[in-house]
Structures are given as structure tokens and as C-alpha cells.
Amino acid sequence: MLLFFLSIYNIFGAYSHFSSGNFLLTRSWQGKSVLLNIVIPLLECYLVKYINTRKKKFLVIVAVINIAGISLSPTAIYICTFLIISFIVISYIKHREKKDICALFFSLIPVFVFALLIYRASLLYTAGWIVEEKNPFNFYTDLKLFVGSGVLFYLFLFSLPMFLLISKFKTAKYFISYYSFILFLLFINPITAKYIAKYFSSGQTYWRIFWLLPIGAALSYLGILGLVFTMKKLQIPFNKQIIFIVLYSIIIGISGKYVYSNNNNVLLINTPYKIPKDIVEVGSQIKTTKVIRIASGEEGAMYLRSINNQIELVYTRYSYMAGFLDPNSQEFKERVLLYEIVDGEVDNYNDLGYLLKKYDVNYLLVKKENKKLLNYLSAIKNNSIEIETEKYFLIKNNLINL
């Protein structure tokens, strides 16, 4: 029940961003996508329960989990849909009854409703709902990003036929083998991938479809089957069974990359927020009762709203901005130019004063190393440094009425 009310609250909160026209300038969903790693296994679990028992209460739970998913991230709109479609196929294979298809589609109602809310909100923008990607979609690139070193992925592929041959549990076969084969057939293959990326996803987000693969469950179950085999067939004593468990754990442990490694360019940040301390200082020190607009470079655009939700950013990320502005439009280009000037990529300031006025910019978050811009801003009458950190100056822009 708590999950349901929290989900409803999150959905109305997310929709309020759409209806206010500020959704794609905020980062209210930042970091929440990772929680889909909890939502998706829950969804899989209750879909399996429904297929085995066919009790309608499980469909209601599935619908609530869908609400939780789409309130965490818009990515879940297509992730949850693909997941349920896979289980619809499995249910029909198992029971051969068309009513199961209708029953499972009931659980997709929240997904369709939320998709319609997004579509309705997108009509507020005269530029249309245009999303263009800088990099063209490539299936093998996305697969490589997901697979990493490949060992766990190949162990998973090895496990699928193994379960069909040696597992006595039909649930495991349906959940791990059949479900995975259907995903590969319908969504995760080079032939269909380009169409799904074009119409339902994008080149920058397609790899998230691989989250649907039950790799963790499959490898854990494979280890259990291996342990049972050593116990019953080979009659290996208990102390040697422990050796098997340790060796299997080591194989899994060394198969992937450590998340916090130099190879992943991880920046270790010593703050409870897990974001750069200078951004924490700036966001925490800004005291305001109204929404203020800030022009910032990359770091501020990524994290400022995580600290202070009264901040509105002139520019965040390309894919977000392209969601509500035509990338060929004048406004889009001007917002990008403001971002590039503050970030230090452009040092031509002829249009800066005009852009600051046009977009009602209250503050500029400028790196201390961007000395040319700082000298230019300091020459403007009444501009003042409001906050200073080790890395940044937050400069109050007095060219507009605050």
C-alpha cells in the first residue's frame, strides 16, 4: 500500500514538471533509474506467480509495480512493456488460453496512461516532441557497453540450454530460459533492434533493454545446480563443496570490472551527496524563495538541482533539451551557446549580454580557471560574486531585474 501511494505521488510530481514546462530543464529523475534494478526483478517475480497460479491479485500487484517503475524513470515505459509482452508469450505457450493475454494487458494500463500524459504534455511545446541523437544507433556498440568483459554474459548464454536439459523446475525454465529466448527473439537481436531503437527507444538508451535479462538469477541458479550435482552425483564431502562455492564466487567476482575503478573514470567524492563538494557548497548556500535561473557548465548542469530544487538551468543535457526544442531552432542554439561560454568552450562574448537578458539568467556558475570570462563579467557594472568555493565563483547577474 505504501508503495502504491508513493508511486502515485511520484507520478503527479513528475507530471507537474511536464505541465509547468520545466520538466526537461530539471533533473528530478536523476539517479532514480538505477532503482529499476529493484523494480524489474519484482515485476518478473509477480508475473511468474500469475502465470503459475493465475490469481488476479497478482495482476494488481504487477500494475502497482509498473506505477513504481514509471514514476522512477520514463525508461520504464518501454522496459516494463517489453517485459510484460515477453510474459504474455510465455503464458500463451504454457496455457494456450487467449484470456491470459487480455488479463496481462490489464497490468499495462498504468504504462499507457502515463505515456498519454507525456504525449499530452509534449503538445505544450510548439517545436514538437523531437529527439535527435548525436551518435547513430549501433546494436553492437550498445551490446559491448552492457557486456563489458563478456564472461558473465557468456556464462548466462551457456546456462540457458543447461536449464532446459537438467532443471526439474518448470518455473525456472519459463522464467530463465523461455523468457530470455523470447527477449532475444523479439527485442534483443540486431535485426529488430534498429526498429525498436528508432520508434521506442534511442541510441543512447537502447542498452537498458538488456536489464530485462535475468543474468543474476540465472548465474545464481546455475551455481545451485552445480552444487547439487557435486553433492548427489559425485558424493563430494562437505569441505570440498565449500571449495566449489568459493571457486564459483571467485569466477563471478573477477569476471566483470570493478565499478569504482580507474578504467571507469570514477571520481571519488567525499560528500554524503556523492557529488562534487563545490556544487554542494553552491547549491546549499543559495537562499531563495522563488525559482532562479542559472547558466552553468557541465558539472553544475549535472548536479545543481540535486542540491537545490529552486534552481532552473538554462541548459542541462543535449538529449533533454532536444526533447522540447528543435535542435535546429534559434532558442536551442542560443541555450547551447550560453552553456559553452560558461563552460569555457567559447570565448566570444559579443552576444552574452543579449542572451543573459533574453533568458532571464540570475546567476552564472563559472570556474576560476575561466579567467577570460571572469574578467569580462567583472567589467560589467553591479555584477557581483555571491559565492566563492575552491573551484567556482557564483556571479550574480544584475543586467536584469531580480
Side-chain angles (χ1 to χ4, degrees):
M1 185 61 69
L2 178 61
L3 174 66
F4 177 78
F5 283 114
L6 284 175
S7 301
I8 293 294
Y9 173 79
N10 282 333
I11 279 187
F12 279 107
Y15 180 65
S16 69
H17 287 297
F18 279 109
S19 58
S20 66
N22 291 326
F23 167 69
L24 292 174
L25 288 175
T26 70
R27 301 189 59 78
S28 59
W29 270 319
Q30 179 183 346
K32 293 183 179 179
S33 293
V34 71
L35 296 178
L36 289 179
N37 292 307
I38 299 172
V39 169
I40 290 170
L42 280 174
L43 197 57
E44 292 168 339
C45 174
Y46 282 98
L47 283 167
V48 169
K49 285 187 177 184
Y50 171 75
I51 289 174
N52 286 336
T53 64
R54 308 178 85 185
K55 294 181 178 179
K56 294 181 179 178
K57 67 177 183 179
F58 292 125
L59 289 177
V60 176
I61 296 174
V62 166
V64 171
I65 294 172
N66 273 335
I67 294 173
I70 58 184
S71 67
L72 290 172
S73 169
T75 302
I77 291 177
Y78 63 87
I79 289 288
C80 293
T81 302
F82 293 161
L83 178 63
I84 291 174
I85 289 173
S86 299
F87 274 90
I88 287 173
V89 177
I90 293 172
S91 183
Y92 185 74
I93 291 172
K94 182 176 182 179
H95 299 298
R96 301 285 181 179
E97 292 188 14
K98 294 181 180 179
K99 66 179 183 180
D100 279 354
I101 297 176
C102 297
L104 284 167
F105 266 113
F106 164 80
S107 62
L108 281 175
I109 290 176
V111 178
F112 291 133
V113 170
F114 195 66
L116 286 173
L117 289 177
I118 292 177
Y119 176 73
R120 180 179 177 274
S122 72
L123 297 179
L124 296 172
Y125 304 107
T126 57
W129 198 256
I130 301 169
V131 177
E132 295 182 3
E133 301 298 337
K134 288 183 176 179
N135 301 316
F137 169 72
N138 186 298
F139 174 79
Y140 294 104
T141 300
D142 278 7
L143 178 63
K144 186 178 179 181
L145 286 172
F146 175 80
V147 170
S149 63
V151 178
L152 295 181
F153 187 72
Y154 298 133
L155 275 174
F156 169 69
L157 293 179
F158 169 76
S159 70
L160 298 184
M162 290 289 294
F163 295 143
L164 292 176
L165 292 174
I166 64 177
S167 178
K168 296 180 180 179
F169 298 100
K170 289 185 177 180
T171 298
K173 291 181 179 181
Y174 282 118
F175 172 58
I176 296 175
S177 296
Y178 295 154
Y179 160 53
S180 298
F181 285 132
I182 290 168
L183 281 176
F184 279 121
L185 180 66
L186 296 179
F187 307 117
I188 307 177
N189 69 72
I191 298 174
T192 60
K194 60 182 179 180
Y195 299 106
I196 294 170
K198 181 177 180 180
Y199 296 107
F200 299 101
S201 180
S202 66
Q204 294 181 345
T205 59
Y206 182 84
W207 62 271
R208 296 177 188 180
I209 294 176
F210 289 93
W211 286 354
L212 296 175
L213 293 173
I215 292 178
L219 296 185
S220 299
Y221 189 42
L222 184 65
I224 292 170
L225 290 178
L227 183 60
V228 170
F229 177 80
T230 61
M231 291 172 62
K232 292 185 176 180
K233 302 295 182 182
L234 303 181
Q235 296 183 343
I236 295 177
F238 179 76
N239 60 336
K240 293 185 177 180
Q241 293 172 26
I242 297 297
I243 294 175
F244 169 84
I245 295 172
V246 172
L247 287 175
Y248 188 69
S249 301
I250 291 174
I251 291 172
I252 293 177
I254 65 176
S255 295
K257 293 181 180 178
Y258 292 108
V259 174
Y260 301 106
S261 68
N262 292 330
N263 291 335
N264 289 333
N265 298 316
V266 173
L267 177 64
L268 297 179
I269 298 170
N270 189 26
T271 70
Y273 297 94
K274 302 306 178 187
I275 62 177
K277 66 181 181 66
D278 290 87
I279 302 299
V280 174
E281 287 181 37
V282 172
S284 301
Q285 291 184 52
I286 294 175
K287 307 299 181 184
T288 177
T289 58
K290 62 179 182 178
V291 174
I292 60 173
R293 186 169 292 185
I294 293 181
S296 171
E298 181 179 11
E299 206 169 57
M302 289 289 290
Y303 301 117
L304 264 176
R305 274 196 53 83
S306 301
I307 303 300
N308 192 324
N309 62 8
Q310 291 297 100
I311 293 172
E312 182 181 312
L313 295 162
V314 177
Y315 181 91
T316 55
R317 290 192 302 179
Y318 181 90
S319 56
Y320 282 1
M321 302 299 295
F324 75 101
L325 287 174
D326 183 345
N328 296 314
S329 68
Q330 185 67 20
E331 181 177 349
F332 186 91
K333 294 175 181 177
E334 288 174 346
R335 287 176 180 266
V336 171
L337 179 58
L338 264 174
Y339 167 84
E340 291 176 341
I341 289 174
V342 178
D343 205 43
E345 299 175 32
V346 173
D347 58 5
N348 184 340
Y349 310 134
N350 291 337
D351 297 323
L352 180 57
Y354 163 75
L355 294 176
L356 293 176
K357 288 182 179 180
K358 180 175 180 180
Y359 293 104
D360 296 330
V361 176
N362 304 101
Y363 294 93
L364 296 91
L365 184 64
V366 185
K367 291 181 182 177
K368 289 184 175 180
E369 64 190 50
N370 193 353
K371 296 186 182 299
K372 188 172 182 179
L373 177 59
L374 290 172
N375 291 335
Y376 177 85
L377 293 172
S378 64
I380 298 176
K381 186 178 180 180
N382 294 329
N383 275 2
S384 59
I385 295 174
E386 293 290 301
I387 298 172
E388 179 181 357
T389 70
E390 183 180 343
K391 189 175 180 180
Y392 289 101
F393 286 123
L394 183 71
I395 299 175
K396 188 174 184 180
N397 173 33
N398 288 298
L399 292 173
I400 63 172
N401 295 321
L402 301 181

